[in-house]
Amino acid sequence: MSESKDFLRTIVEEDLKSGKYKEVITRFPPEPNGFPHIGHAKSICINFGIASDYKGHCNLRMDDTNPTKEDTKYVEALKDAVQWLGFDWGENVHFTSNYFPKIYSYAIELIKMGKAYVDSIDEEEMREYRGTVTTAGKRSKYADRTIEENLDLFEKMKNGKFKDGEHVLRAKIDMSAANMKMRDPLLYRIRHAHHFRTADEWNIYPMYDFAHCLSDYIESVSHSICTLEFENNRDIYNWVLDTLGLELPRPFQHEFARLGINYTVMSKRKLLELVDGGQVSGWDDPRMPTIAGYKRRGYTKESILNFCDQIGIAKANSMVDVAQLEFCIRDDLNKKVPRVLCVLDPLKVTIENYEGTEEIDSPYYPHDVPKEGSRKVPFSKNIYIERDDFMENPEKGYFRLTPTQPVRLRHGFIITCKEVIKDTEGNITEIKAEYHPNSKSGSDTSGIKVKSAIQWVSEKEAKKVEVRIYDRLYASEAPEGLEDLNTNSLQVIKNALIEPAVITDKPDERFQFERQGYFYADPIDYTDEKPVFNKIVGLKDSWAKKTKIEEPIQKTEPKKTQVIGTEVAMSEEQKALFEKYTSELKLNNEVANILARDEKLSSFYEETLLELNSPIGLANIVVTEVARELKEKEDSELKFTASQIAQLVKMIDEKIISSKIAKQVFEEMLKSGENPTKIVEDKGLIQISDPSVISPIIDEIIAKNPDNVEKFKSGNTKLLGFFVGQVLKATSGKANPQVINKLVAEKLK
Ligand code: ATP
Ligand code: MG
């Protein structure tokens, strides 16, 4: 158990102490409509973790009330995930569908009590009648049906006498309840669909709000733990159980904050889109945030459990840095796995003064890993090193092999470059080198100073392997959809070379390829004839500020959970705004969330909208620049008006200025209170979009950076950003980034 108790465990302990329950029973209740993701891992850890801490029990329950989306393959994936994480659900898996008959009879009971009725208005009317957050709803005329009529209609619904949508069963609660969810919620709907377990037995299916609390009750659950978005459903949960007179030890619902991770989507629906659209190879694609994906990529269960433990359980929604998950796996493997030599992009090196072969005894584990084991690494005249580890015209601070700088072959000798061989196009094809016989690692008497040791393999003995390098699936921090995908998330290297012991000895399934990262023998595609390795994670956070490779591996822990919203849940008004911002104005969730929760900010935003119809552009400026000002000042103290902000955004929309320049203009507005159009004119900040002006600037930058051009052309497309950045810098941010992008891409083709 973690040292400090979270609020859920505190509640559980109190309930045990007061004798409210004799035994703690929890449940993990996924809907089998997709593979579980890392958010589910958090829920699994909480539910199974609490049960085991207090010697209770946790049920695995498939919440299968929606026949059209569910499938046995998802049930299997859910079982796999729970098992892999090391939890035990006991004898059998439970299914809500097993309780359909019981749930049905509870519905009959409610009808008999006059607490539920069959409604027959259409969807549109139903929406209208529901009212709004500020006005009460009104009840449908069908609410007056007699109990007999209701019983008769409900039975006919069950027996398939009506079409989908013709009738629904509703609870009779309160059409003017402040909690909109309590305005006569639906309990049952008609669905003529084939269910993967009950086949065609049922024509009606219970809604979540009715089925969930009753399933919990039927299973004698004590603590029904769910995520915050169900906070408003808690009233229905209690209403159903109380109205039916189901007494203690009946379950109560408790909510915690759902896990969100940056650069990651966490919704089965969105993940299914990727699978169906072929953007990934399947639910277990190693780039997917599914448990199956992490497992296939090579994550250990310990790293996932440790991550869930670190992020803790909170009552406020938060966004966790994906670097924290990557830290957890790196940290776990660092202490466990053998370190071996693999060359991803081989460059031939011929050691002219060496004849014959020898084997160099090399430990698998560094001295601070409590494991023993070593292998023989063959050495010979013909070896390969990493292409990156040689530079003919080294940049400052380059510590590896150059025409004048010797380097150590890891575990082996020091070599010096004698000659660089190139093909007719000027590409380096081979290095001729000399080794220093008395420089062997461990018994070096050569006195030669080197600044680094590099990986290498002997040509004859090395094994060819395929290496799959994964990067984050999304390039944007708060991804919304396909447009945010990282187009470089998978790179397949077909002809990497690895030292032979990895394949013949098989000391482990996971390895550190020295200086490259952690890798895992792909559990599906790996064969002895064609070994395949997945990159699990790099040795350090490559997305953090780029640092030189030669620096010692940094083992700093990434910053902990950043709390984005401090409020527990939105009020009804805030929810209505959020809804409007996301569905009508198409703002992304993050931005809509910030606006909806901050009244000063949203009213300022609304004011700008009256001036300019550019909801997204306006929102971006408002949640960043304006928000910063409004934090410290009142609306009336601002140096700028909503209309000036609209002018500013209009200039961005019309491509007169770039959004980068807009920030500069905004700073100026704060100082002078001047109109943005005037600032732009006075300071000559108009965006440059003319290719004939931008083009020569790009040419100059290309000429100055031949090495980066080389790297870009050999596949390091991330360097596009470098070139664009340089052009922006050269034009003080005035060049139009889209034009630069296009021109750079053309010129470097
Ligand atoms: P999704 O939106 O991804 O489909 P869901 O909430 O619909 O997720 P369910 O299968 O209904 O998924 O969820 C099973 C359990 O897992 C629920 O108790 C739910 O609260 C929890 N859960 C789902 N997503 C997260 C998350 N991101 N963080 C923590 N718990 C989660
Ligand atoms: Mg769902």
Side-chain angles (χ1 to χ4, degrees):
M1 201 187 307
S2 350
E3 317 90 58
S4 60
K5 231 181 309 148
D6 54 78
F7 78 94
L8 289 173
R9 284 177 168 82
T10 306
I11 293 172
V12 167
E13 274 186 22
E14 278 167 10
D15 286 350
L16 284 174
K17 216 189 288 162
S18 72
K20 190 168 171 183
Y21 304 105
K22 286 203 178 54
E23 192 188 3
V24 175
I25 299 180
T26 55
R27 84 286 170 266
F28 169 60
E31 182 182 355
N33 62 348
F35 274 50
H37 48 61
I38 183 83
H40 292 106
K42 176 175 180 179
S43 181
I44 291 170
C45 286
I46 291 176
N47 282 297
F48 281 92
I50 288 179
S52 102
D53 283 355
Y54 297 96
K55 311 217 165 5
H57 183 74
C58 178
N59 289 340
L60 172 59
R61 182 202 309 149
M62 301 298 153
D63 206 359
D64 55 345
T65 55
N66 185 357
T68 57
K69 302 235 166 82
E70 296 156 0
D71 198 279
T72 329
K73 67 169 183 262
Y74 300 132
V75 174
E76 292 309 313
L78 282 153
K79 285 161 68 178
D80 272 355
V82 174
Q83 226 156 22
W84 184 65
L85 289 172
F87 296 109
D88 179 14
W89 58 78
E91 257 168 46
N92 39 48
V93 174
H94 298 257
F95 292 84
T96 300
S97 56
N98 289 348
Y99 314 137
F100 283 169
K102 275 194 188 159
I103 296 172
Y104 178 76
S105 62
Y106 279 123
I108 303 272
E109 246 184 84
L110 282 183
I111 295 175
K112 286 185 178 159
M113 295 161 93
K115 295 289 186 185
Y117 60 94
V118 173
D119 199 356
S120 314
I121 53 178
D122 62 32
E123 255 180 72
E124 199 177 314
E125 268 179 302
M126 196 170 306
R127 213 172 307 124
E128 233 170 79
Y129 279 31
R130 234 179 129 221
T132 66
V133 281
T134 46
T135 58
K138 84 182 173 204
R139 206 159 249 162
S140 135
K141 61 178 184 226
Y142 300 109
D144 295 332
R145 281 176 168 147
T146 64
I147 289 173
E148 289 65 36
E149 251 180 298
N150 281 320
L151 285 173
D152 178 54
L153 283 170
F154 190 49
E155 193 178 347
K156 287 187 176 135
M157 282 167 66
K158 170 175 171 266
N159 293 336
K161 303 279 188 246
F162 303 114
K163 289 202 285 291
D164 284 9
E166 236 181 304
H167 306 282
V168 290
L169 185 73
R170 298 181 77 168
K172 200 173 205 172
I173 308 181
D174 179 2
M175 286 307 288
S176 55
N179 179 356
M180 302 267 297
K181 298 243 178 210
M182 293 292 275
R183 297 187 182 177
D184 290 10
L186 302 199
L187 302 180
Y188 265 94
R189 62 183 166 175
I190 302 173
R191 271 275 159 112
H192 292 276
H194 188 83
H195 187 283
F196 76 106
R197 299 191 77 244
T198 59
D200 301 312
E201 191 184 338
W202 292 87
N203 300 300
I204 52 172
Y205 291 91
M207 305 298 290
Y208 171 89
D209 282 321
F210 194 51
H212 204 86
C213 53
L214 288 171
S215 305
D216 283 346
Y217 178 78
I218 293 165
E219 291 178 9
S220 304
V221 165
S222 58
H223 297 82
S224 177
I225 298 166
C226 64
T227 34
L228 271 179
E229 66 272 21
F230 292 101
E231 198 183 24
N232 289 331
N233 301 61
R234 196 200 311 139
D235 286 344
I236 311 182
Y237 191 102
N238 289 332
W239 183 90
V240 171
L241 297 184
D242 290 344
T243 307
L244 287 166
L246 304 174
E247 288 169 3
L248 274 176
R250 67 106 150 151
F252 281 88
Q253 179 184 306
H254 307 273
E255 309 90 21
F256 70 96
R258 107 193 245 117
L259 169 66
I261 302 185
N262 60 4
Y263 296 99
T264 308
V265 302
M266 206 101 82
S267 135
K268 283 177 283 182
R269 185 179 54 78
K270 285 191 182 163
L271 296 175
L272 177 62
E273 270 170 25
L274 298 177
V275 174
D276 284 349
Q279 272 84 16
V280 294
S281 63
W283 284 100
D284 69 345
D285 186 301
R287 292 166 292 175
M288 290 280 270
T290 53
I291 298 176
Y294 290 115
K295 186 174 158 191
R296 177 152 183 201
R297 175 126 167 206
Y299 272 69
T300 56
K301 77 166 194 198
E302 289 80 9
S303 65
I304 306 269
L305 295 175
N306 194 18
F307 172 71
C308 291
D309 194 45
Q310 277 187 16
I311 56 178
I313 309 175
K315 262 255 172 213
N317 275 325
S318 63
M319 181 74 82
V320 174
D321 193 339
V322 65
Q324 193 167 343
L325 178 59
E326 293 163 354
F327 170 83
C328 287
I329 181 64
R330 203 179 283 128
D331 191 46
D332 189 35
L333 298 180
N334 181 41
K335 293 175 294 208
K336 281 186 185 163
V337 303
R339 299 188 182 178
V340 299
L341 304 176
C342 177
V343 173
L344 297 180
D345 185 7
L347 173 62
K348 188 178 164 90
V349 175
T350 306
I351 301 170
E352 297 193 296
N353 61 341
Y354 188 90
E355 295 302 331
T357 54
E358 67 187 277
E359 288 187 317
I360 303 173
D361 197 31
S362 313
Y364 273 131
Y365 305 96
H367 60 274
D368 55 343
V369 173
K371 277 188 174 183
E372 290 195 10
S374 65
R375 80 290 191 189
K376 303 253 189 276
V377 179
F379 177 65
S380 66
K381 186 183 182 78
N382 301 305
I383 65 168
Y384 285 96
I385 65 169
E386 203 70 61
R387 189 164 287 278
D388 259 3
D389 284 341
F390 176 78
M391 237 179 163
E392 197 174 14
N393 305 301
E395 50 199 35
K396 203 166 156 275
Y398 186 82
F399 293 154
R400 296 164 270 169
L401 189 64
T402 75
T404 56
Q405 181 170 270
V407 78
R408 175 177 299 286
L409 300 175
R410 177 77 168 137
H411 300 303
F413 298 96
I414 293 174
I415 57 169
T416 301
C417 169
K418 289 288 156 194
E419 195 187 341
V420 182
I421 315 283
K422 296 182 183 172
D423 64 15
T424 49
E425 282 162 21
N427 300 311
I428 299 173
T429 53
E430 184 184 346
I431 304 290
K432 298 223 185 270
E434 258 178 31
Y435 89 114
H436 301 274
N438 53 354
S439 68
K440 196 166 172 186
S441 191
S443 55
D444 181 0
T445 56
S446 71
I448 302 168
K449 291 253 182 303
V450 290
K451 291 180 176 152
S452 66
I454 60 173
Q455 69 269 31
W456 57 280
V457 292
S458 170
E459 178 177 39
K460 190 159 137 269
E461 294 86 359
K463 305 277 183 200
K464 198 165 89 177
V465 294
E466 177 173 318
V467 176
R468 300 173 182 168
I469 309 276
Y470 303 104
D471 199 350
R472 292 177 184 167
L473 189 50
Y474 288 93
S476 101
E477 179 146 14
E480 294 278 317
L482 298 181
E483 68 279 12
D484 296 320
L485 282 171
N486 172 6
T487 47
N488 279 317
S489 60
L490 171 62
Q491 186 198 349
V492 179
I493 299 173
K494 295 270 185 202
N495 298 314
L497 294 172
I498 204 161
E499 58 165 295
V502 174
I503 310 298
T504 50
D505 260 24
K506 289 207 176 70
D508 203 334
E509 293 167 326
R510 296 180 180 84
F511 300 89
Q512 182 188 116
F513 292 178
E514 292 207 30
R515 301 176 65 236
Q516 310 273 20
Y518 294 97
F519 293 79
Y520 181 52
D522 186 276
I524 295 173
D525 296 339
Y526 186 105
T527 61
D528 284 342
E529 293 68 48
K530 191 191 151 208
V532 178
F533 290 93
N534 296 325
K535 180 167 182 178
I536 309 168
V537 70
L539 291 174
K540 59 184 173 185
D541 184 359
S542 60
W543 283 63
K545 223 166 134 266
K546 295 259 186 274
T547 44
K548 287 257 169 341
I549 279 186
E550 285 78 11
E551 281 173 14
I553 299 157
Q554 285 172 2
K555 275 196 57 192
T556 45
E557 200 163 340
K559 60 178 182 287
K560 286 264 157 110
T561 316
Q562 335 163 328
V563 175
I564 285 181
T566 44
E567 296 89 341
V568 169
M570 288 191 200
S571 68
E572 290 298 327
E573 287 79 5
Q574 289 172 338
K575 273 189 200 153
L577 267 185
F578 180 83
E579 180 61 28
K580 168 177 154 191
Y581 290 161
T582 49
S583 50
E584 250 174 66
L585 302 184
K586 305 277 180 257
L587 305 186
N588 76 34
N589 288 346
E590 221 69 43
V591 171
N593 183 42
I594 294 170
L595 285 172
R597 284 180 185 278
D598 186 329
E599 206 195 317
K600 270 203 298 190
L601 212 54
S602 58
S603 61
F604 188 94
Y605 176 57
E606 298 280 333
E607 234 181 291
T608 63
L609 280 175
L610 297 176
E611 305 267 340
L612 180 72
N613 179 21
S614 179
I616 296 176
L618 287 167
N620 285 340
I621 295 271
V622 172
V623 300
T624 53
E625 315 315 317
V626 178
R628 231 183 320 121
E629 288 300 301
L630 270 180
K631 233 182 226 145
E632 293 144 21
K633 302 190 178 102
E634 280 307 311
D635 202 22
S636 56
E637 297 171 282
L638 293 178
K639 273 274 200 181
F640 52 87
T641 62
S643 136
Q644 284 174 327
I645 294 297
Q647 272 178 35
L648 182 64
V649 173
K650 186 154 179 266
M651 285 191 286
I652 304 174
D653 289 351
E654 289 172 353
K655 303 212 171 1
I656 295 169
I657 55 171
S658 64
S659 37
K660 199 162 169 189
I661 290 292
K663 290 199 196 315
Q664 216 175 304
V665 177
F666 181 77
E667 293 306 318
E668 195 53 40
M669 287 161 68
L670 292 181
K671 277 193 228 139
S672 64
E674 204 70 74
N675 267 344
T677 39
K678 179 149 190 323
I679 295 172
V680 169
E681 269 165 35
D682 288 356
K683 303 219 163 218
L685 292 174
I686 293 179
Q687 173 159 271
I688 309 167
S689 296
D690 183 351
S692 68
V693 179
I694 299 174
S695 192
I697 302 172
I698 298 178
D699 291 340
E700 203 174 309
I701 287 161
I702 286 179
K704 269 198 222 148
N705 294 279
D707 281 338
N708 278 343
V709 171
E710 197 69 30
K711 284 188 203 149
F712 181 88
K713 287 190 174 164
S714 59
N716 188 351
T717 46
K718 278 192 197 134
L719 281 169
L720 187 65
F722 163 81
F723 289 104
V724 176
Q726 292 291 311
V727 181
L728 279 170
K729 206 164 142 197
T731 57
S732 320
K734 281 189 274 179
N736 180 335
Q738 272 144 6
V739 179
I740 310 177
N741 247 306
K742 194 165 151 267
L743 289 175
V744 171
E746 273 168 20
K747 285 178 195 278
L748 290 181
K749 219 187 284 166

